C-alpha cells in the first residue's frame, strides 16, 4: 500500500520497511521508505569505490547531475582480506559519502565472479587451488574462474555475502541507503561453453535435476520460445542434459545456467536470511552470431531466464547490461510478467536518454543506469542547461534527462501503475517513424526534416486526462495524432503548452501555436528540449 492512502500509524511502519518490490496496478515498483521510487541511476567504474577518498570528490558531482542512486561494487577481497576477518570500513565510508550527498546505493557484489573471471576473490581463495577449484577446459587446463560446481567456493562466497548483509542490517536498516543488491557480475564461462572439471563432467552425465524438469513441465506454456523449441524437439521429460535439450552447444549453456542459478540462489538466500533487500543478477548479452563460450555461457540470458527462475527463486529479477543499439528488442526480452525491467549498465549520452524514456514509459522500468557515470569533466553540473558538454557529452545529456525526470518521478510512477504511460523509440538509420498507443489516441512520430538520420529518438506520453498528455522527448521529431476508437474520427490539437524547468520546478510558459505547431497540425520536439528544460502539455479533441 502507498503512503497517501495510509493512517498515521501505518505510515510510520511503511517508512520503516526495508526497500522492497511491490506490484502496484500495472507495474511492479521499487518501494523505498514507504514510497514508490524510480531509480535515476549510474554505475561507477569498477575501481572507483575501492577508495573512499577518491569517492569524496565524486559523490557531489553525481548528486549535481540529479542522480538519486549510484551502483557501486563491493568486492569480496576488500571485505574479507583474511579468511574470517571481515572489514567493513570501506563499505561504511561509501555509505557515509552517499548519505552526505543525498544519494542511495545499489551494491554490486563482486564475489566469486566478475565478467566470468574471479579477479575480485581474495588472495586466500585465488591461491588455494586445491580447496577452491577452477573451471577447466576440455583439454584439462585451468582458467582464472572459480568453478560453480565447488561447494567450498559457494560456501565461502555465501559466508562473506551474508556477513555483508548482516552488517547492512545492523548499520543501514533505518536509513535505507542501500536499496538493492546485485549478486555477482556477468557470470558465465568462456572460452568454452561449459566447465570440464571432474565435478562438472559428473553433473553433465547425470539426469537433469527433477526440480528443473518439473518447473519446465509446469511452466511450458509461458517458457521462452527458444527454450520451448529445444525441449519440444527432443520431447523428453527426463534424461541427461543432452537427451533432454539436444546435442548442441546451447545445451552446455543451459547446463551452466542451472549451475550458476543454483549457486547464486545459495548465496542470495544466505544474504536475505540476514537482511532482505531486492536482489538481482545481470547478464552480458550476445553479439550477433556468437555461440555459447564466445558469449558468457550460462548467464541469465533471455533463452535461459526460465532456468534461472527455477534455480534461483530468491532472486527478484534478471537484468540486461544493454550496450547494443537494438535497445527495444533486448529490453523487451527482459520485460516479462515474472521479471520487471531494471537496466544496471547501459550507454549514456543522447542515445541513452532516448532509451531511458522508452524504458520508463513503455516498459515501466524500475530504473536506468548508464555505466561509467563518474566520468565527468572538472566542472560540477548543478543546473539543467549548464552542461560541460565539451568535456563529457554523454554524462551531460544524462544530467539533463535526470534533471527533468527527478521532479516528474512521482507522476511517472503513479502513471506507470495506472497503465497511463506509453513510449516509442526510433532507433537506427533505417527507421524513420514509430507509433505509440495511449488512451483513445495513436501518436505517429517521425524524424523532423533535416534531423541527423542516425540520431536516436525517444518519446514518452503520460496521460494526465482523457484528452490531455505530457510529452517528453529526446531528439528532433514531429508528432501527429489519430484515433482508432469509436466516435468522431478526426483528431485535432486543442492546445500545446510548453512547460519549463527552472532547476527547481516545472512551470507553464509559452502557448505554442502557429508556426510552432504547424498551424495546429503537429507537435515539434527539439533535440535541445531536455538541455533547455522543456516538455509539452498537449490537449487533443475529436471532430467529424
Ligand atoms: C560490463 C561489466 O559488467 C562492467 O563491470 C564493466 O566491466 C563494463 N562491462 C565495461 O564496459
Amino acid at each position: 500500500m502507498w503512503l497517501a492512502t495510509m493512517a498515521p500509524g501505518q505510515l510510520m511502519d511503511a517508512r520503516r520497511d526495508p526497500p522492497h518490490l511491490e506490484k502496484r496496478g500495472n507495474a511492479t515498483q521499487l518501494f523505498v521508505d514507504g514510497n514508490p521510487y524510480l531509480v535515476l541511476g549510474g554505475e561507477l567504474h569498477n575501481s572507483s569505490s575501492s577508495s573512499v577518498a577518491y569517492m569524496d570528490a565524486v559523490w557531489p558531482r553525481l548528486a549535481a547531475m540529479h542522480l538519486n542512486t549510484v551502483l557501486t561494487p563491493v568486492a569480496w577481497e576488500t571485505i574479507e582480506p583474511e579468511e574470517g576477518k571481515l572489514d567493513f570500513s570501506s563499505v561504511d565510508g561509501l555509505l557515509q559519502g552517499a548519505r552526505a550527498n543525498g544519494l542511495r546505493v545499489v551494491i554490486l557484489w563482486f564475489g566469486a565472479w566478475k565478467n566470468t573471471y574471479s579477479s575480485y576473490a581474495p588472495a586466500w581463495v585465488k591461491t588455494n587451488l586445491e580447496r577452491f577449484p577452477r573451471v577447466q577446459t576440455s583439454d584439462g587446463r585451468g582458467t582464472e574462474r572459480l568453478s560453480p560446481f565447488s561447494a567450498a567456493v559457494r560456501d565461502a562466497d555465501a559466508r562473506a555475502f551474508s556477513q555483508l548483509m548482516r552488517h547492512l542490517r545492523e548499520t543501514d536498516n533505518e536509513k535505507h541507503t542501500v536499496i538493492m543488491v546485485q549478486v555477482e557480475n556477468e557470470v558465465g564461462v568462456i572460452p568454452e561453453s561449459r566447465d570440464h572439471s571432474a565435478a562438472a563432467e559428473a553433473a553433465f552425465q547425470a539426469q537433469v535435476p527433477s526440480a528443473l524438469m518439473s518447473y519446465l513441465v509446469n511452466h511450458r506454456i509461458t517458457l521462452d520460445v527458444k527454450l520451448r523449441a529445444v525441449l519440444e524437439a527432443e520431447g523428453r521429460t527426463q534424461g541427461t542434459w543432452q537427451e533432454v535439450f539436444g546435442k548442441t552447444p546451447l545445451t552446455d549453456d543451459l547446463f551452466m545456467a542451472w549451475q550458476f542459478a543454483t549457486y547464486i540462489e545459495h548465496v542470495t538466500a544466505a544474504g536475505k536470511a540476514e537482511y532482505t533487500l531486492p536482489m538481482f543478477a545481470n547478464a552480458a548479452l550476445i553479439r550477433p552470431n556468437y555461440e555459447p563460450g564466445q558469449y558468457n555461457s550460462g548467464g541469465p540470458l533471455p533463452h535461459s531466464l526460465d532456468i534461472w527462475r527455477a534455480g534461483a527463486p530468491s532472486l527478484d529479477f534478471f537484468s540486461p547490461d544493454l550496450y547494443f543499439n537494438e535497445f527495444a528488442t533486448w529490453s523487451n526480452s527482459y520485460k516479462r510478467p515474472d521479471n520487471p525491467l531494471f537496466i544496471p549498465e547501459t550507454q549514456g549520452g543522447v542515445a541513452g536518454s532516448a532509451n531511458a524514456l522508452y524504458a520508463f514509459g513503455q516498459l515501466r522500468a524500475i530504473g536506468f543506469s548508464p555505466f561509467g557515470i563518474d566520468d565527468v569533466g572538472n566542472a560540477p553540473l548543478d543546473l539543467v542547461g549548464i552542461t560541460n558538454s565539451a568535456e563529457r557529452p554523454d554524462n551531460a545529456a544524462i544530467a539533463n534527462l535526470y534533471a527533468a525526470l527527478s521532479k516528474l518521478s512521482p507522476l511517472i510512477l503513479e502513471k506507470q501503475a495506472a497503465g497511463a504511460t506509453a513510449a516509442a523509440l526510433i532507433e537506427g538509420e533505417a527507421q524513420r517513424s514509430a507509433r505509440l498507443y495511449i488512451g483513445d489516441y495513436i501518436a505517429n512520430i517521425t524524424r523532423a526534416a533535416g534531423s541527423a538520420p542516425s540520431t536516436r529518438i525517444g518519446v514518452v506520453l503520460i496521460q494526465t486526462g482523457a484528452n490531455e498528455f505530457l510529452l517528453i522527448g529526446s531528439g528532433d521529431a514531429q508528432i501527429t495524432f489519430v484515433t482508432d476508437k469509436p466516435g468522431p474520427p478526426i483528431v485535432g490539437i486543442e492546445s500545446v503548452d510548453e512547460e519549463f524547468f527552472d532547476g527547481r520546478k516545472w512551470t507553464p510558459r509559452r502557448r505554442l501555436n502557429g508556426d510552432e505547431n504547424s498551424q495546429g497540425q503537429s507537435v515539434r520536439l527539439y533535440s535541445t528540449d531536455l538541455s533547455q528544460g522543456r516538455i509539452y502539455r498537449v490537449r487533443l479533441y475529436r471532430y467529424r
Side-chain angles (χ1 to χ4, degrees):
M1 217 196 320
W2 193 27
L3 285 188
T5 59
M6 288 179 193
Q10 274 179 305
L11 199 136
M12 284 316 296
D13 288 345
R15 288 211 169 114
R16 283 198 204 103
D17 284 346
H20 61 278
L21 298 182
E22 204 173 299
K23 178 99 176 120
R24 185 172 161 231
N26 290 271
T28 296
Q29 297 184 327
L30 173 64
F31 277 67
V32 177
D33 294 341
N35 279 313
Y37 184 95
L38 203 62
V39 177
L40 305 178
E43 183 166 321
L44 297 175
H45 279 291
N46 296 157
S47 302
S48 308
S49 62
S50 67
S51 163
V52 170
Y54 178 91
M55 283 303 297
D56 279 348
V58 174
W59 295 116
R61 295 200 306 216
L62 301 183
M65 287 170 66
H66 307 274
L67 270 76
N68 59 15
T69 307
V70 180
L71 279 68
T72 171
V74 169
W76 187 4
E77 65 173 352
T78 311
I79 65 161
E80 197 181 11
E82 273 182 70
E83 185 167 10
K85 294 203 176 130
L86 280 302
D87 174 1
F88 294 111
S89 50
S90 64
V91 176
D92 296 340
L94 290 175
L95 297 196
Q96 271 162 22
R99 280 181 203 128
N101 289 279
L103 290 160
R104 310 269 181 172
V105 164
V106 173
I107 283 181
L108 316 172
W109 172 238
F110 284 10
W113 299 288
K114 196 269 169 188
N115 297 32
T116 79
Y117 286 102
S118 298
S119 50
Y120 285 90
W124 57 268
V125 174
K126 273 184 193 164
T127 54
N128 192 339
L129 301 179
E130 289 295 309
R131 184 174 161 205
F132 301 113
R134 306 290 185 83
V135 169
Q136 299 231 305
T137 57
S138 49
D139 59 2
R141 283 175 295 125
T143 68
E144 295 208 68
R145 301 177 179 87
L146 293 161
S147 172
F149 292 88
S150 162
V153 173
R154 184 197 67 191
D155 293 347
D157 191 353
R159 263 195 308 278
F161 184 64
S162 67
Q163 296 289 315
L164 170 63
M165 294 311 294
R166 174 187 298 186
H167 183 72
L168 294 181
R169 166 167 55 77
E170 289 169 353
T171 57
D172 192 48
N173 78 338
E174 302 251 308
K175 298 190 176 76
H176 304 151
T177 307
V178 181
I179 55 174
M180 295 201 287
V181 180
Q182 178 188 291
V183 189
E184 314 292 344
N185 190 78
E186 291 195 353
V187 300
V189 287
I190 42 177
E192 293 187 354
S193 48
R194 69 180 173 87
D195 185 358
H196 291 272
S197 62
E201 285 300 323
F204 193 65
Q205 300 312 329
Q207 299 280 295
V208 175
S210 57
L212 173 58
M213 233 32 271
S214 50
Y215 183 96
L216 296 176
V217 169
N218 292 336
H219 292 81
R220 63 187 176 283
I221 305 293
T222 55
L223 293 182
D224 171 78
V225 285
K226 186 168 170 185
L227 179 65
R228 191 168 161 181
V230 294
L231 278 169
E232 287 177 355
E234 302 305 319
R236 303 276 297 249
T237 54
Q238 59 177 24
T240 64
W241 287 86
Q242 289 194 328
E243 285 167 351
V244 171
F245 297 102
K247 283 192 178 159
T248 71
L250 183 65
T251 297
D252 294 359
D253 177 348
L254 302 175
F255 167 70
M256 292 307 299
W258 173 253
Q259 195 59 30
F260 278 114
T262 49
Y263 175 112
I264 291 181
E265 169 62 20
H266 190 91
V267 175
T268 305
K272 283 195 170 182
E274 292 294 345
Y275 184 38
T276 304
L277 289 179
M279 296 192 190
F280 64 99
N282 64 331
L285 303 181
I286 310 173
R287 288 177 196 282
N289 304 318
Y290 271 36
E291 291 291 321
Q294 289 178 297
Y295 67 79
N296 294 11
S297 183
L301 289 158
H303 60 258
S304 60
L305 285 185
D306 298 292
I307 291 179
W308 275 84
R309 220 341 105 247
S314 297
L315 285 177
D316 295 275
F317 57 86
F318 305 98
S319 286
D321 289 349
L322 216 176
Y323 293 94
F324 297 155
N325 284 335
E326 300 75 19
F327 186 90
T329 306
W330 280 106
S331 56
N332 274 281
S333 67
Y334 279 84
K335 168 72 180 170
R336 310 190 340 170
D338 61 357
N339 203 61
L341 182 66
F342 175 72
I343 299 178
E345 289 183 40
T346 189
Q347 59 176 316
V350 171
S353 305
N355 293 339
L357 292 178
Y358 179 76
F360 287 130
Q362 185 67 12
L363 301 180
R364 297 173 197 138
I366 290 172
F368 188 86
S369 164
F371 183 78
I373 201 68
D374 41 329
D375 261 345
V376 292
N378 299 324
L381 301 167
D382 55 1
L383 254 193
V384 66
I386 301 176
T387 66
N388 56 354
S389 56
E391 293 176 65
R392 182 69 194 183
D394 277 18
N395 288 341
I398 292 298
N400 289 327
L401 172 78
Y402 285 176
L405 295 189
S406 57
K407 295 291 181 296
L408 293 168
S409 285
L411 178 72
I412 293 172
L413 286 155
E414 180 198 326
K415 298 297 181 180
Q416 277 186 338
T421 66
L425 262 186
I426 298 182
E427 298 205 78
E429 303 218 2
Q431 195 186 348
R432 289 204 51 77
S433 63
R435 140 182 301 207
L436 66 80
Y437 295 80
I438 187 161
D440 284 352
Y441 297 98
I442 301 169
N444 286 314
I445 302 145
T446 49
R447 284 188 190 283
S451 85
S454 58
T455 317
R456 185 168 285 258
I457 294 169
V459 175
V460 55
L461 280 173
I462 302 174
Q463 185 159 20
T464 48
N467 303 301
E468 186 189 277
F469 302 88
L470 272 186
L471 211 165
I472 309 166
S474 171
D476 284 295
Q478 199 98 24
I479 305 184
T480 55
F481 297 90
V482 294
T483 185
D484 61 352
K485 293 288 188 304
I490 305 174
V491 177
I493 293 179
E494 182 186 303
S495 59
V496 180
D497 291 312
E498 169 188 69
E499 303 233 345
F500 174 69
F501 187 62
D502 65 4
R504 289 189 325 279
K505 61 180 184 337
W506 289 98
T507 38
R509 209 166 53 171
R510 293 178 298 167
R511 159 70 50 106
L512 302 177
N513 218 332
D515 296 340
E516 284 71 21
N517 71 351
S518 303
Q519 329 310 322
Q521 301 308 296
S522 64
V523 181
R524 174 73 154 88
L525 298 180
Y526 292 90
S527 56
T528 49
D529 280 346
L530 286 175
S531 64
Q532 295 182 357
R534 187 167 50 231
I535 62 175
Y536 303 93
R537 189 175 296 275
V538 179
R539 293 187 191 85
L540 305 175
Y541 70 102
R542 295 171 62 173
Y543 64 96
R544 298 190 175 280

